[in-house]
Amino acid sequence: MDRKLKVSSNPHIRSKVTTNGIMMAVVLALLPAAGFGIYNFGVRALLHILITVASTVLTEFLYGLYRKKMTITDLSAVVTGLLLALNLPVSAPLWIGAVGGVFAILIVKMLFGGLGQNFMNPALAARCFLLISFPALMTDFACDAYSGATPLAALKAGETVNVMDMIIGRTAGTIGETSMIAIVIGACFLILLGVIDLRIPGSYIVSFALFVLIFGGKGLDFQYLSAQLAGGGLMLGAFFMATDYVTRPITVRGQYLYGIFLGIMTGIFRIFGPGAEGVSYAIILGNLLVPLIEKITMPRAFGKGGAGHGRK
Amino acid sequence: MKKTSGAGERLINGIVKENPTFVLMLGMCPTLAVTTSAMNGFGMGATTLVVLALSNLIISLMRNIIPNKVRIPAFIVIIASFVTIVQLLLEAYLPSLNDALGVYIPLIVVNCIILGRAESYAYSNPAIPSLFDGIGMGLGFTIALTCIGAVRELLGTGEIFGARIMPQAYTPIGIFVLAPGAFFVLAMLCALQNFVKLRGAKAGKDTSRIGSGCSEDCMNCGEKGCGRRKFYDDSDDLIVEDLSAKEGK
C-alpha cells in the first residue's frame, strides 16, 4: 500500500527561514553602509565597528556561559553590535562602543530574557544610553574628514545644505547614517529577500514627510524636505531599526500605526525639539508603545466578539 | 529575648529580612528621586529613620485610645508633627542637606514605609518592640538608600561622599545621576540581594519573612506581629455590637 498519509504531530507547516539566516541577511544588508562609513571616515570607523561587535558578541558569549544556554550562534549580537557601531560618531573614544555593547546585550536584551523578549531595540537603547551619559562625546562629529556641523544641525541653524552630498553620504554624522544610497541598497536587498517589507519604513517616511511639510514652516520647499529625509538617522532607523522583528508590532494595521507614530514623533523631535535629531528617541518610544498598539489592532477571532458584542 | 518579641529580632527584620527598599519595595519615590549621591541617600534615610522610630513609638503608646475608624488620620497627624520637627531642625542645623532633599522632606509624611509600619506593626504591638521596629526599618531604609546613592555617585561622578575614588581617566557615566540611573541601580542591587538570599536558602538558611508575606489565612497563622488579625477581630466586634444595639431597641 502506498504511504500517502504521513502521520506526524504539529506543527505541520515548516519554514526554512531561521533566525541566523535572517540575521545574516541583515548583516549583509548593513555592509554597504558600513563600507561607505569606513571609506568616508577612515580606519577609525573600522576600529569602532570591530570593537563594538566584539563587545556585543563577547557579552552574549559570557552570559551564555553563565546561564549555560548559548545563544551566540543566532548572530543577533553581531547585528546589534554593527547597528550600534553605525550609530556612533567616528571621533568618539574607542571604548564607548564597548560600553554601549555591554549595555545593549546585558541590560536591554539578556536580562529581559534574551532575543525575542527585549522590549526595546538593544542597539538603539544603547545609543540613547550613551547619548545621555556622554552627551559631549556622542555629539562631537568633527573628524579628520569633516569639521562642520552635521547637515541637520546646519539645517536647524537656518543654513543651506548640499542635498546631493547628503544622498551620497559625503557629510559629517555617525559612521553608518550618512549615505542614503548605501542604506537604501541594503534595504532593497532585505526587501527582495522578504526579510522586511515596506509597511513600517513606508508609513514612517511618508508620515514624517507630511509632518515636515505641514509643520516645518518652509511650505513646499523641496530642497528642505529632501534634506530632512536624507539627513540624520532617518533612513537607517526606518529600514533597519524600526523593522526589528522583536520590537515592532506583529499586526499589519499595527505596523502602519507604528510607522505613523514614529514619523510624527521624529518630526516633533526634529522641528520642535532642542536637538537636531530625534530618530533614536522616536523609535524607542515607539517600542514602548508596541504592546498597546498590538492590543488595539489585534484581529478578532472568527465568531468571537462582533457587532452584538458588549450589548446588554 | 524571645518573650519580648525581641528588640534585636525587630532590628534584623527591618534591615535584612523585610528591608523596606529591597524586599518590601516601599518608599520608592524618595528612593529613586534623592539618591543622586551617597550623602543625599544617607540624609534621606536618617531623616526617615528618626520620624519612623518616633512615630512608631507614639502610635504604639496611643494604640488603645485611637479609635479604629479614624486611625489613618490620627497616624498622619502624629507623623506630620514629627516631620515638621525634623524639617525645622534640618533647616536650622543642616541647611545644605535640607536644600538637597528639598520637597522630599515634607513628603516623608506620606511615605508608605512609615504609614505601613504604623498600620501593620505599631498599632497592634507594645511600645518597645514598635520603637525597635521603627529603628530597624529606618536602618534598613538608610542602608539601602546609602548603597544606591554610593553606586550612583561612583558611576555618575567617580566619587563617593564627595571623595574621588575612580582614577582621573575615568569618564563619568552621566546617566547614573539622572532618573534612569536610579532604576538601573535599584534593580541591580535588588537582584544582587535576591541572588545572595537564594544562595542562603539553598544552603538551608531561614530566609523567610517575618511580618509580611501574608496568606490571608489568619486562623492558621502564627504571626503575632500582624496588624491584620486585630483589625479583622475589631470589625467583627463592631458589627456584632451594632446589631445587638439595634436589637436592643
Side-chain angles (χ1 to χ4, degrees):
Chain A
M1 202 172 105
D2 286 352
R3 293 183 55 128
K4 282 185 178 169
L5 292 174
K6 189 182 170 203
V7 179
S8 71
S9 65
N10 61 8
H12 303 294
I13 301 174
R14 287 165 197 274
S15 163
K16 288 202 171 108
V17 178
T18 57
T19 306
N20 55 3
I22 292 172
M23 293 298 170
M24 198 64 221
V26 177
V27 170
L28 288 177
L30 282 170
L31 285 183
F36 187 86
I38 296 166
Y39 160 76
N40 200 20
F41 293 109
V43 185
R44 197 180 163 86
L46 179 64
L47 276 178
H48 264 301
I49 293 173
L50 290 179
I51 288 175
T52 313
V53 172
S55 158
T56 52
V57 171
L58 193 66
T59 309
E60 180 134 347
F61 176 72
L62 291 177
Y63 191 85
L65 275 187
Y66 172 65
R67 296 304 300 248
K68 300 189 178 60
K69 187 183 167 200
M70 196 49 77
T71 49
I72 201 147
T73 49
D74 67 16
L75 291 180
S76 63
V78 179
V79 173
T80 300
L82 195 52
L83 274 175
L84 177 60
L86 296 184
N87 272 295
L88 298 173
V90 73
S91 53
L94 290 170
W95 51 261
I96 214 166
V99 172
V102 172
F103 181 84
I105 297 297
L106 186 66
I107 309 265
V108 185
K109 196 168 94 180
M110 298 322 271
L111 287 185
F112 282 88
L115 184 70
Q117 307 291 326
N118 47 303
F119 67 112
M120 258 187 199
N121 184 316
L124 271 184
R127 175 183 149 82
C128 293
F129 171 80
L130 294 175
L131 204 57
I132 296 171
S133 295
F134 313 107
L137 300 176
M138 285 293 287
T139 51
D140 176 18
F141 293 106
C143 57
D144 294 344
Y146 306 99
S147 62
T150 60
L152 278 184
L155 209 59
K156 184 122 185 163
E159 297 159 24
T160 52
V161 289
N162 185 337
V163 177
M164 208 54 220
D165 274 353
M166 293 171 72
I167 290 174
I168 297 170
R170 307 188 64 81
T171 61
T174 68
I175 292 170
E177 74 178 9
T178 56
S179 173
M180 185 173 168
I181 291 182
I183 293 166
V184 171
I185 289 173
C188 289
F189 173 69
L190 284 187
I191 293 167
L192 289 177
L193 277 186
V195 174
I196 63 172
D197 53 48
L198 272 174
R199 284 180 205 131
I200 292 173
S203 56
Y204 184 0
I205 293 169
V206 168
S207 61
F208 173 71
L210 286 176
F211 190 93
V212 170
L213 277 180
I214 297 168
F215 296 104
K218 303 271 178 180
L220 259 177
D221 182 347
F222 183 73
Q223 209 254 350
Y224 178 75
L225 179 64
S226 49
Q228 280 284 4
L229 287 179
L234 180 67
M235 290 297 152
L236 190 64
F239 286 109
F240 288 96
M241 311 229 200
T243 53
D244 173 18
Y245 278 20
V246 181
T247 54
R248 70 173 189 190
I250 53 169
T251 57
V252 174
R253 278 191 304 150
Q255 292 183 356
Y256 287 118
L257 204 61
Y258 177 70
I260 292 167
F261 174 81
L262 297 184
I264 293 171
M265 288 311 290
T266 308
I268 291 175
F269 281 127
R270 278 198 186 175
I271 291 168
F272 301 117
E277 180 56 299
V279 171
S280 318
Y281 289 124
I283 296 178
I284 62 170
L285 278 174
N287 288 164
L288 295 181
L289 284 185
V290 164
L292 295 175
I293 293 175
E294 285 179 346
K295 197 173 174 187
I296 59 169
T297 55
M298 194 60 74
R300 194 160 36 81
F302 184 71
K304 292 267 176 74
H309 186 69
R311 215 184 282 162
K312 289 259 166 83
Chain B
M1 284 301 276
K2 202 78 185 170
K3 62 177 189 282
T4 57
S5 113
E9 176 252 298
R10 292 321 301 171
L11 288 181
I12 298 297
N13 181 47
I15 297 170
V16 182
K17 294 195 171 177
E18 270 191 66
N19 186 298
T21 306
F22 294 136
V23 181
L24 300 184
M25 289 284 163
L26 291 176
M28 284 295 114
C29 176
T31 304
L32 295 170
V34 301
T35 52
T36 50
S37 69
M39 194 59 220
N40 283 358
F42 178 76
M44 186 71 212
T47 316
T48 311
L49 187 156
V50 173
V51 176
L52 184 52
L54 291 176
S55 65
N56 255 14
L57 177 68
I58 299 298
I59 288 167
S60 174
L61 287 173
M62 294 172 70
R63 69 185 188 280
N64 292 325
I65 54 172
I66 297 175
N68 201 14
K69 282 184 175 171
V70 293
R71 64 181 192 280
I72 300 286
F75 295 164
I76 296 279
V77 170
I78 293 169
I79 296 166
S81 313
F82 284 116
V83 170
T84 311
I85 295 169
V86 169
Q87 190 184 6
L88 292 175
L89 285 173
L90 277 182
E91 272 177 33
Y93 295 106
L94 291 169
S96 61
L97 184 64
N98 186 58
D99 290 344
L101 299 183
V103 75
Y104 292 96
I105 298 278
L107 280 177
I108 294 175
V109 176
V110 286
N111 187 316
C112 48
I113 300 174
I114 300 181
L115 207 56
R117 292 326 287 178
E119 173 88 6
S120 69
Y121 196 85
Y123 191 56
S124 49
N125 283 284
I128 298 302
S130 297
L131 175 66
F132 279 97
D133 182 75
I135 294 174
M137 283 283 160
L139 281 177
F141 191 58
T142 310
I143 291 169
L145 258 59
T146 313
C147 288
I148 296 173
V151 175
R152 288 180 69 185
E153 194 181 354
L154 180 68
L155 294 174
T157 64
E159 301 170 342
I160 290 183
F161 283 112
R164 186 86 194 175
I165 302 287
M166 291 288 197
Q168 287 298 329
Y170 174 74
T171 312
I173 307 177
I175 201 169
F176 280 102
V177 289
L178 301 172
F183 287 95
F184 291 147
V185 175
L186 175 66
M188 292 296 167
L189 291 180
C190 221
L192 185 69
Q193 183 265 153
N194 281 337
F195 178 77
V196 173
K197 231 174 216 185
L198 279 177
R199 275 277 170 88
K202 270 184 194 161
K205 280 185 193 159
D206 173 30
T207 54
S208 63
R209 296 171 178 187
I210 293 183
S212 55
C214 177
S215 62
E216 310 220 338
D217 182 13
C218 294
M219 287 288 282
N220 298 318
C221 175
E223 175 57 59
K224 278 185 184 156
C226 176
R228 227 172 234 285
R229 163 178 291 193
K230 183 160 189 272
F231 298 139
Y232 279 131
D233 293 352
D234 281 2
S235 56
D236 284 346
D237 288 352
L238 219 61
I239 292 166
V240 172
E241 276 168 18
D242 282 348
L243 283 177
S244 57
K246 274 176 190 166
E247 279 166 9
K249 278 182 185 174

